[in-house]
Amino acid sequence: MRWVWKSMLFSKVTMVILLVLPILFLSLALPLFKSTVEDLQVPIMLVDSSEQTMVEELVDELEETEPFSLQVVNNLDLDVLARGEVEAIFEVTDDLETRILDGDTDELFTWYRHENSFADGLFKEHLASTLMEMIVKAESANLVMSQTDTFDWDEVFHYGQRYFEPDPIFQMDFQSFGEYGQEETHRQSEQSTAMYLLIIWTYCWLLMIYFTNYIYHWRGQQLFDRLSLYRYGRAKLYLYWIIVVLVIVFGFASVIGAILHSIDSQMVTWWQLMNELGPVLFISAVLILVSSLICRTRRGMLASTLSYLLGSVSVFWFISWGWLADNWFNYFFIPVWLL
Amino acid sequence: MIRLDDVGYKKKGKHILEGVNAHVEAGDSICLFGPNGAGKSTLLKVMANLIKPTVGVRHFHPKEEKHPIGYIPQQVALFNNLTVKDHLRFYQKMTKKHSTNYIEEMKLKLGLNEILSKRVDQLSGGMMRKVNLAVGLLHEPEIVFLDEAFVGVDLAAKHDMLKWLNQLNERGVTVVFVTHDWHVINQLAKKMWILEDGRITDQVKMSEINHLSSQKIAEGTALSKMFALRMQ
Ligand SMILES: Nc1ncnc2c1ncn2[C@@H]1O[C@H](COP(=O)(O)OP(=O)(O)O)[C@@H](O)[C@H]1O
Ligand SMILES: [Mg+2]
């Protein structure tokens, strides 16, 4: 085992492919990855000159949503907007709480934006819907208080909170409220996780194709002829090959996983990666080995494995774009399992 | 030890071997001789049980499992970036059956001790062939098949290899080999099978070869070709 490991790993080409390509791959993939994360972060400034508790509560609610980075200050400074540091500034009225309690919702905020502002409209919607929740809760608390005096206003107000929490029954409500809220971003991140898994799988698949070179080389050298004289000799070499390949590929995948995780802890955890990608990689290695057993010529093997790769990637995209209906035979292409 | 009854081998509609009847006795040393493409390598593989004949039967007597076979392929079947020592250890592990005395002796006789820590791709052609031979003999086979094991081997290395093979043969190891090298045939062969187009056209004893009638050679049998080859 040790010797097969050594002989497969200690060659210049293998080293280059193992070390340089992942670095290249990462340096290409990471900026892409980072920019998608940063694009989602819309910088917004909230001005609250009288530091109201209602505003604090509102901010807590708002901050649960990822795509905005919220900054709360006491004084209005429009230069920040002019310099493009934030997309928009929202100034809160000094009497937010009393106005909400009264049910008077006109001009609660002053919305300052720049002509270059782009995604701040999303925040406005988000702010409005969050505020709506609070208003509805306040209204219902008012209603309850007018009917009975056994409850404290605050109690009823916070009790209303329950209806907006994502309990299974009320999930539909929640979604309609948070149009740009959690559900959406969650699905988005699942989608891009699958995409990253596909990219990692593609690289691993190519890596494994590269390693079949050894099998063809050994076969050409008549090494398998020689080993077939010994008990399980031939099978052992194939087994060692697949173990070495799996170790390398899993090592590669976990390094990538760790790097992705360190960039965004929500994106893909190491466990998630291994859970979803692990079985797929394992079966891929077996498939590659089988194809190199069936195809006696290197060319035949390359043709079949590369067209499988192409087919898989296409089917993967077609499914995620909704062009292809769910069908059992889609699962013939193993990357589809990642979706 | 091995008997071939009307053995034939067909691949992709082409008869590579046809109607081969032959017998290998324990302690024999047989040279398979013939032009390129005659089917020598294929016959060797059939005898070594690496491939099954498509027609006819290969008998091995008495029990095959108790008589390990050694096969030294035509290609240098080594891992390029492993050292000679690595190779010896790898095959010791692979074959499990080995006596250290025998291995030490072989290392000494083949002059491998000086190159133990060298990587195979740093060796000369002759050295590589020596290692190729050594790993094939590591498990003390009782019958050895060598396919052009002396190609590109310098005289000194050839001398070591032949000496060791002769010693093994004297100890009762059966040797069957393919070569075009007259020097090797002279030193090692006791018998010679002449192959042409997948058939054995002649089986001769080397002791008889000198007494072969000049008539036969003049008639243009395979043997005359053999001498022609030698002179080229
Ligand atoms: N795997 C194969 N498929 C098709 N033809 C083969 C194969 N192996 C050998 N041959 C053909 O069989 C003939 C004999 O081959 P071989 O036994 O290698 O001859 P030799 O060793 O005497 O040169 C050659 O004509 C060769 O082209
Ligand atoms: Mg040959």
Side-chain angles (χ1 to χ4, degrees):
Chain A
M1 178 74 222
R2 172 153 62 100
W3 297 285
V4 177
W5 172 257
K6 194 172 156 191
S7 99
M8 281 174 71
L9 226 58
F10 286 73
S11 99
K12 278 184 201 126
V13 184
T14 308
M15 283 294 177
V16 167
I17 284 180
L18 279 180
L19 296 176
V20 177
L21 285 191
I23 291 169
L24 215 75
F25 167 83
L26 274 177
S27 55
L28 284 177
L30 283 189
L32 202 108
F33 181 80
K34 269 189 172 158
S35 69
T36 54
V37 171
E38 276 161 9
D39 275 349
L40 288 171
Q41 294 267 326
V42 183
I44 300 287
M45 187 176 273
L46 202 65
V47 184
D48 172 26
S49 47
S50 47
E51 297 185 15
Q52 306 163 75
T53 41
M54 190 74 160
V55 173
E56 258 172 55
E57 240 167 83
L58 184 66
V59 168
D60 283 346
E61 289 283 314
L62 288 171
E63 277 183 339
E64 280 179 21
T65 323
E66 294 241 313
F68 308 104
S69 70
L70 203 55
Q71 200 183 340
V72 185
V73 293
N74 293 332
N75 295 310
L76 181 64
D77 177 12
L78 287 174
D79 283 348
V80 183
L81 188 61
R83 284 197 298 269
E85 284 171 27
V86 295
E87 283 269 294
I89 301 176
F90 289 84
E91 193 179 19
V92 194
T93 59
D94 288 337
D95 50 355
L96 184 70
E97 185 152 3
T98 44
R99 301 226 351 232
I100 283 182
L101 291 185
D102 295 346
D104 171 17
T105 57
D106 290 343
E107 294 183 13
L108 291 176
F109 289 89
T110 318
W111 176 15
Y112 302 93
R113 68 193 304 261
H114 194 258
E115 55 186 4
N116 292 333
S117 296
F118 171 66
D120 56 331
L122 299 182
F123 183 76
K124 188 207 75 182
E125 296 294 319
H126 182 50
L127 180 62
S129 69
T130 313
L131 214 56
M132 252 338 255
E133 281 177 33
M134 299 179 90
I135 293 166
V136 169
K137 281 189 285 183
E139 286 285 2
S140 60
N142 283 343
L143 195 69
V144 172
M145 293 311 283
S146 68
Q147 301 294 319
T148 169
D149 51 4
T150 39
F151 303 108
D152 179 23
W153 190 92
D154 259 354
E155 229 175 274
V156 181
F157 179 84
H158 285 112
Y159 184 77
Q161 185 83 20
R162 236 175 56 166
Y163 293 94
F164 298 102
E165 269 164 12
D167 288 333
I169 311 167
F170 296 104
Q171 202 160 29
M172 292 305 285
D173 286 350
F174 177 78
Q175 268 191 328
S176 66
F177 264 101
E179 204 176 334
Y180 302 97
Q182 284 190 332
E183 285 299 306
E184 194 76 2
T185 42
H186 194 62
R187 210 178 330 127
Q188 212 163 29
S189 89
E190 239 171 38
Q191 188 86 42
S192 54
T193 301
M195 196 189 80
Y196 277 95
L197 292 183
L198 178 75
I199 293 174
I200 297 173
W201 175 82
T202 304
Y203 182 79
C204 290
W205 185 260
L206 291 173
L207 203 63
M208 290 192 276
I209 292 177
Y210 164 75
F211 277 110
T212 59
N213 271 344
Y214 286 95
I215 289 183
Y216 286 95
H217 183 63
W218 293 336
R219 202 176 281 158
Q221 276 185 317
Q222 296 188 293
L223 198 67
F224 286 108
D225 282 343
R226 157 172 282 168
L227 289 175
S228 64
L229 287 174
Y230 314 130
R231 209 171 152 69
Y232 305 124
R234 198 193 291 245
K236 268 187 199 162
L237 189 55
Y238 281 121
L239 182 71
Y240 293 162
W241 179 88
I242 207 165
I243 292 173
V244 170
V245 164
L246 281 174
V247 167
I248 290 170
V249 156
F250 271 82
F252 171 77
S254 32
V255 168
I256 297 280
I259 291 172
L260 287 185
H261 187 67
S262 72
I263 290 166
D264 182 359
S265 54
Q266 302 238 302
M267 198 58 174
V268 57
T269 65
W270 190 85
W271 266 116
Q272 193 185 356
L273 190 89
M274 283 302 139
N275 253 340
E276 295 185 20
L277 203 60
V280 170
L281 284 182
F282 187 83
I283 293 166
S284 300
V286 174
L287 274 185
I288 293 266
L289 181 61
V290 166
S291 74
S292 67
L293 285 175
I294 293 172
C295 306
R296 286 283 128 180
T297 62
R298 212 183 288 232
R299 243 211 255 151
M301 189 273 306
L302 273 179
S304 59
T305 50
L306 288 178
S307 34
Y308 185 84
L309 172 69
L310 205 69
S312 299
V313 173
S314 320
V315 169
F316 181 94
W317 282 118
F318 289 167
I319 289 177
S320 55
W321 288 336
W323 292 2
L324 210 64
D326 226 5
N327 234 322
W328 61 267
F329 55 75
N330 290 343
Y331 291 92
F332 167 72
F333 297 103
I334 34 177
V336 171
W337 303 3
L338 297 172
L339 279 169
Chain B
M1 202 170 195
I2 292 177
R3 205 179 72 230
L4 302 174
D5 282 345
D6 207 25
V7 161
Y9 188 79
K10 203 172 150 183
K11 185 120 189 201
K12 291 171 188 157
K14 191 174 170 247
H15 291 278
I16 297 172
L17 292 177
E18 251 183 311
V20 174
N21 289 291
H23 191 87
V24 181
E25 279 167 50
D28 259 348
S29 69
I30 300 169
C31 170
L32 307 190
F33 193 89
N36 281 331
K40 304 179 297 290
S41 297
T42 311
L43 181 57
L44 212 59
K45 281 187 194 170
V46 168
M47 286 197 282
N49 204 18
L50 295 176
I51 53 177
K52 297 259 176 292
T54 45
V55 198
V57 200
R58 163 193 179 272
H59 298 280
F60 193 100
H61 193 78
K63 271 231 172 284
E64 186 145 8
E65 300 79 51
K66 300 216 174 98
H67 301 273
I69 292 176
Y71 174 74
I72 288 88
Q74 191 166 354
Q75 308 293 326
V76 180
L78 301 171
F79 297 103
N80 278 343
N81 38 22
L82 292 194
T83 63
V84 175
K85 204 195 284 169
D86 287 338
H87 273 92
L88 296 178
R89 286 214 219 108
F90 176 75
Y91 281 96
Q92 277 184 31
K93 270 263 157 59
M94 263 321 213
T95 58
K96 293 204 177 89
K97 195 177 163 210
H98 52 267
S99 102
T100 28
N101 280 346
Y102 168 81
I103 291 171
E104 286 308 318
E105 187 188 356
M106 180 166 68
K107 281 200 280 194
L108 194 71
K109 293 269 167 64
L110 290 178
L112 296 181
N113 285 321
E114 298 88 65
I115 54 167
L116 277 181
S117 52
K118 278 208 172 158
R119 278 169 44 156
V120 163
D121 50 8
Q122 295 167 340
L123 296 178
S124 68
M127 290 292 190
M128 265 192 217
R129 289 278 173 186
K130 269 188 182 177
V131 179
N132 199 34
L133 178 71
V135 297
L137 297 175
L138 210 66
H139 59 305
E140 289 196 74
E142 288 180 28
I143 177 161
V144 189
F145 298 93
L146 303 108
D147 198 347
E148 310 205 15
F150 301 93
V151 173
V153 179
D154 54 287
L155 279 176
K158 199 189 286 180
H159 176 78
D160 290 346
M161 287 163 80
L162 281 173
K163 203 168 161 191
W164 175 238
L165 284 168
N166 265 319
Q167 263 178 23
L168 291 179
N169 189 232
E170 276 160 26
R171 291 181 204 172
V173 174
T174 311
V175 184
V176 181
F177 62 99
V178 172
T179 190
H180 287 118
D181 190 328
W182 190 246
H183 181 67
V184 174
I185 298 172
N186 256 337
Q187 298 275 312
L188 195 59
K190 286 179 192 157
K191 288 179 186 167
M192 210 160 157
W193 298 356
I194 316 295
L195 258 88
E196 243 181 307
D197 292 333
R199 294 173 173 279
I200 296 184
T201 54
D202 255 313
Q203 295 191 30
V204 289
K205 287 203 171 77
M206 289 309 283
S207 52
E208 288 169 2
I209 210 160
N210 300 326
H211 313 297
L212 256 167
S213 58
S214 55
Q215 188 193 351
K216 211 173 181 182
I217 295 167
E219 276 168 8
T221 61
L223 268 182
S224 70
K225 276 187 193 162
M226 167 182 103
F227 288 111
L229 263 170
R230 158 110 180 92
M231 285 183 284
Q232 269 166 8

CSV table of all heavy atoms in Angstrom, one decimal, chain B residues 154-181:
chain,number,residue,atom,x,y,z
B,154,ASP,N,23.5,-4.8,-21.0
B,154,ASP,CA,25.0,-4.9,-21.3
B,154,ASP,C,25.6,-6.2,-20.9
B,154,ASP,O,25.0,-7.0,-20.2
B,154,ASP,CB,25.7,-3.7,-20.5
B,154,ASP,CG,25.4,-3.8,-19.1
B,154,ASP,OD1,24.3,-3.4,-18.7
B,154,ASP,OD2,26.3,-4.2,-18.3
B,155,LEU,N,26.7,-6.5,-21.4
B,155,LEU,CA,27.3,-7.8,-21.3
B,155,LEU,C,27.5,-8.2,-19.8
B,155,LEU,O,27.2,-9.4,-19.5
B,155,LEU,CB,28.7,-7.9,-22.0
B,155,LEU,CG,28.5,-8.1,-23.6
B,155,LEU,CD1,29.9,-8.0,-24.2
B,155,LEU,CD2,27.9,-9.4,-23.8
B,156,ALA,N,28.0,-7.3,-19.0
B,156,ALA,CA,28.3,-7.6,-17.6
B,156,ALA,C,27.0,-8.0,-16.9
B,156,ALA,O,26.9,-9.0,-16.2
B,156,ALA,CB,28.9,-6.4,-16.9
B,157,ALA,N,26.0,-7.2,-17.1
B,157,ALA,CA,24.7,-7.5,-16.5
B,157,ALA,C,24.1,-8.9,-17.0
B,157,ALA,O,23.6,-9.7,-16.2
B,157,ALA,CB,23.7,-6.4,-16.7
B,158,LYS,N,24.3,-9.1,-18.3
B,158,LYS,CA,23.8,-10.3,-18.9
B,158,LYS,C,24.5,-11.5,-18.3
B,158,LYS,O,23.8,-12.5,-18.0
B,158,LYS,CB,24.0,-10.3,-20.4
B,158,LYS,CG,23.2,-11.2,-21.2
B,158,LYS,CD,23.6,-11.3,-22.7
B,158,LYS,CE,23.2,-10.1,-23.5
B,158,LYS,NZ,23.6,-10.2,-24.9
B,159,HIS,N,25.8,-11.3,-18.1
B,159,HIS,CA,26.6,-12.4,-17.5
B,159,HIS,C,26.0,-12.8,-16.1
B,159,HIS,O,25.8,-13.9,-15.8
B,159,HIS,CB,28.0,-12.0,-17.4
B,159,HIS,CG,28.9,-13.0,-16.7
B,159,HIS,ND1,29.3,-14.1,-17.3
B,159,HIS,CD2,29.4,-13.0,-15.4
B,159,HIS,CE1,30.1,-14.8,-16.5
B,159,HIS,NE2,30.1,-14.1,-15.3
B,160,ASP,N,25.8,-11.7,-15.3
B,160,ASP,CA,25.2,-12.0,-13.9
B,160,ASP,C,23.9,-12.7,-14.0
B,160,ASP,O,23.6,-13.6,-13.3
B,160,ASP,CB,25.0,-10.6,-13.2
B,160,ASP,CG,26.3,-10.0,-12.8
B,160,ASP,OD1,27.3,-10.7,-12.9
B,160,ASP,OD2,26.3,-8.8,-12.5
B,161,MET,N,23.0,-12.2,-14.9
B,161,MET,CA,21.6,-12.7,-15.0
B,161,MET,C,21.7,-14.2,-15.4
B,161,MET,O,21.0,-15.1,-14.9
B,161,MET,CB,20.8,-11.9,-15.9
B,161,MET,CG,20.4,-10.5,-15.4
B,161,MET,SD,19.8,-9.4,-16.7
B,161,MET,CE,18.2,-10.0,-17.0
B,162,LEU,N,22.5,-14.4,-16.5
B,162,LEU,CA,22.6,-15.8,-17.0
B,162,LEU,C,23.1,-16.8,-15.9
B,162,LEU,O,22.7,-17.9,-15.8
B,162,LEU,CB,23.5,-15.8,-18.2
B,162,LEU,CG,22.8,-15.4,-19.5
B,162,LEU,CD1,23.8,-15.3,-20.6
B,162,LEU,CD2,21.6,-16.3,-19.9
B,163,LYS,N,24.1,-16.3,-15.2
B,163,LYS,CA,24.8,-17.1,-14.2
B,163,LYS,C,23.8,-17.5,-13.1
B,163,LYS,O,23.7,-18.7,-12.7
B,163,LYS,CB,25.9,-16.4,-13.6
B,163,LYS,CG,27.0,-17.3,-12.9
B,163,LYS,CD,28.2,-16.4,-12.6
B,163,LYS,CE,29.0,-17.2,-11.6
B,163,LYS,NZ,30.1,-16.3,-11.0
B,164,TRP,N,23.0,-16.5,-12.7
B,164,TRP,CA,22.0,-16.8,-11.7
B,164,TRP,C,20.9,-17.7,-12.2
B,164,TRP,O,20.5,-18.7,-11.5
B,164,TRP,CB,21.4,-15.5,-11.2
B,164,TRP,CG,20.3,-15.6,-10.2
B,164,TRP,CD1,19.0,-15.1,-10.3
B,164,TRP,CD2,20.3,-16.2,-8.9
B,164,TRP,NE1,18.3,-15.3,-9.2
B,164,TRP,CE2,19.0,-16.0,-8.3
B,164,TRP,CE3,21.3,-16.9,-8.2
B,164,TRP,CZ2,18.7,-16.5,-7.1
B,164,TRP,CZ3,21.0,-17.4,-6.9
B,164,TRP,CH2,19.7,-17.2,-6.4
B,165,LEU,N,20.4,-17.5,-13.4
B,165,LEU,CA,19.4,-18.4,-14.0
B,165,LEU,C,19.9,-19.8,-14.1
B,165,LEU,O,19.2,-20.8,-13.9
B,165,LEU,CB,18.9,-17.8,-15.3
B,165,LEU,CG,17.9,-16.6,-15.2
B,165,LEU,CD1,17.8,-16.0,-16.6
B,165,LEU,CD2,16.6,-17.0,-14.6
B,166,ASN,N,21.1,-19.9,-14.5
B,166,ASN,CA,21.7,-21.3,-14.7
B,166,ASN,C,21.8,-22.0,-13.3
B,166,ASN,O,21.5,-23.2,-13.2
B,166,ASN,CB,23.1,-21.2,-15.3
B,166,ASN,CG,23.0,-21.4,-16.8
B,166,ASN,OD1,22.3,-22.3,-17.3
B,166,ASN,ND2,23.8,-20.6,-17.6
B,167,GLN,N,22.2,-21.2,-12.3
B,167,GLN,CA,22.2,-21.8,-11.0
B,167,GLN,C,20.9,-22.3,-10.5
B,167,GLN,O,20.7,-23.4,-10.0
B,167,GLN,CB,22.7,-20.7,-10.0
B,167,GLN,CG,24.2,-20.9,-9.7
B,167,GLN,CD,24.7,-19.8,-8.8
B,167,GLN,OE1,23.9,-19.2,-8.0
B,167,GLN,NE2,26.0,-19.5,-8.9
B,168,LEU,N,19.9,-21.5,-10.8
B,168,LEU,CA,18.5,-21.9,-10.4
B,168,LEU,C,18.1,-23.1,-11.2
B,168,LEU,O,17.5,-24.1,-10.6
B,168,LEU,CB,17.5,-20.7,-10.7
B,168,LEU,CG,17.6,-19.5,-9.8
B,168,LEU,CD1,16.5,-18.5,-10.3
B,168,LEU,CD2,17.4,-19.8,-8.4
B,169,ASN,N,18.4,-23.1,-12.5
B,169,ASN,CA,18.1,-24.3,-13.3
B,169,ASN,C,18.8,-25.6,-12.8
B,169,ASN,O,18.2,-26.6,-12.7
B,169,ASN,CB,18.5,-24.0,-14.7
B,169,ASN,CG,18.0,-25.1,-15.7
B,169,ASN,OD1,18.7,-25.6,-16.5
B,169,ASN,ND2,16.7,-25.4,-15.6
B,170,GLU,N,20.0,-25.4,-12.4
B,170,GLU,CA,20.7,-26.5,-11.8
B,170,GLU,C,20.1,-27.1,-10.5
B,170,GLU,O,20.1,-28.2,-10.2
B,170,GLU,CB,22.2,-26.2,-11.5
B,170,GLU,CG,23.1,-26.3,-12.7
B,170,GLU,CD,24.4,-25.5,-12.6
B,170,GLU,OE1,24.8,-25.3,-11.4
B,170,GLU,OE2,24.9,-25.1,-13.6
B,171,ARG,N,19.4,-26.1,-9.8
B,171,ARG,CA,18.7,-26.5,-8.5
B,171,ARG,C,17.4,-27.1,-8.8
B,171,ARG,O,16.6,-27.4,-7.9
B,171,ARG,CB,18.6,-25.3,-7.6
B,171,ARG,CG,19.9,-24.8,-7.1
B,171,ARG,CD,19.5,-23.6,-6.1
B,171,ARG,NE,20.7,-22.7,-6.0
B,171,ARG,CZ,20.7,-21.6,-5.4
B,171,ARG,NH1,19.5,-21.1,-4.9
B,171,ARG,NH2,21.8,-20.8,-5.3
B,172,GLY,N,17.0,-27.2,-10.1
B,172,GLY,CA,15.7,-27.8,-10.4
B,172,GLY,C,14.6,-26.8,-10.9
B,172,GLY,O,13.5,-27.3,-11.1
B,173,VAL,N,14.9,-25.6,-11.0
B,173,VAL,CA,13.9,-24.6,-11.4
B,173,VAL,C,13.8,-24.7,-12.9
B,173,VAL,O,14.8,-24.7,-13.7
B,173,VAL,CB,14.3,-23.2,-11.0
B,173,VAL,CG1,13.3,-22.2,-11.6
B,173,VAL,CG2,14.4,-23.0,-9.5
B,174,THR,N,12.6,-24.8,-13.4
B,174,THR,CA,12.3,-24.9,-14.8
B,174,THR,C,12.3,-23.5,-15.5
B,174,THR,O,11.7,-22.6,-14.9
B,174,THR,CB,10.9,-25.6,-15.1
B,174,THR,OG1,10.9,-26.8,-14.3
B,174,THR,CG2,10.7,-25.9,-16.5
B,175,VAL,N,13.0,-23.4,-16.6
B,175,VAL,CA,13.1,-22.0,-17.2
B,175,VAL,C,12.6,-22.1,-18.6
B,175,VAL,O,13.0,-23.0,-19.4
B,175,VAL,CB,14.5,-21.5,-17.2
B,175,VAL,CG1,14.6,-20.1,-17.8
B,175,VAL,CG2,15.1,-21.6,-15.8
B,176,VAL,N,11.6,-21.3,-18.9
B,176,VAL,CA,11.1,-21.2,-20.3
B,176,VAL,C,11.3,-19.7,-20.7
B,176,VAL,O,10.8,-18.8,-20.0
B,176,VAL,CB,9.6,-21.6,-20.4
B,176,VAL,CG1,9.2,-21.5,-21.9
B,176,VAL,CG2,9.4,-23.0,-19.9
B,177,PHE,N,12.0,-19.5,-21.8
B,177,PHE,CA,12.3,-18.1,-22.2
B,177,PHE,C,12.2,-17.8,-23.7
B,177,PHE,O,12.4,-18.7,-24.5
B,177,PHE,CB,13.6,-17.6,-21.6
B,177,PHE,CG,14.8,-18.4,-22.1
B,177,PHE,CD1,15.6,-17.9,-23.2
B,177,PHE,CD2,15.1,-19.7,-21.6
B,177,PHE,CE1,16.7,-18.6,-23.7
B,177,PHE,CE2,16.2,-20.4,-22.2
B,177,PHE,CZ,17.0,-19.8,-23.2
B,178,VAL,N,11.9,-16.5,-23.9
B,178,VAL,CA,11.9,-16.0,-25.3
B,178,VAL,C,13.1,-15.1,-25.5
B,178,VAL,O,13.3,-14.2,-24.7
B,178,VAL,CB,10.6,-15.2,-25.6
B,178,VAL,CG1,10.7,-14.6,-27.0
B,178,VAL,CG2,9.4,-16.1,-25.5
B,179,THR,N,13.9,-15.3,-26.5
B,179,THR,CA,15.0,-14.4,-26.8
B,179,THR,C,15.4,-14.5,-28.2
B,179,THR,O,15.1,-15.5,-28.9
B,179,THR,CB,16.2,-14.7,-25.9
B,179,THR,OG1,17.1,-13.6,-26.0
B,179,THR,CG2,16.8,-16.0,-26.2
B,180,HIS,N,16.0,-13.5,-28.7
B,180,HIS,CA,16.6,-13.5,-30.1
B,180,HIS,C,18.2,-13.6,-29.9
B,180,HIS,O,18.9,-13.6,-30.9
B,180,HIS,CB,16.3,-12.3,-30.9
B,180,HIS,CG,14.8,-12.3,-31.3
B,180,HIS,ND1,13.9,-11.3,-30.9
B,180,HIS,CD2,14.2,-13.1,-32.1
B,180,HIS,CE1,12.8,-11.6,-31.5
B,180,HIS,NE2,12.9,-12.7,-32.2
B,181,ASP,N,18.6,-13.6,-28.7
B,181,ASP,CA,20.0,-13.4,-28.4
B,181,ASP,C,20.7,-14.8,-28.4
B,181,ASP,O,20.5,-15.6,-27.5
B,181,ASP,CB,20.2,-12.7,-27.0
B,181,ASP,CG,21.6,-12.3,-26.7
B,181,ASP,OD1,22.5,-13.0,-27.2
B,181,ASP,OD2,21.8,-11.3,-26.1
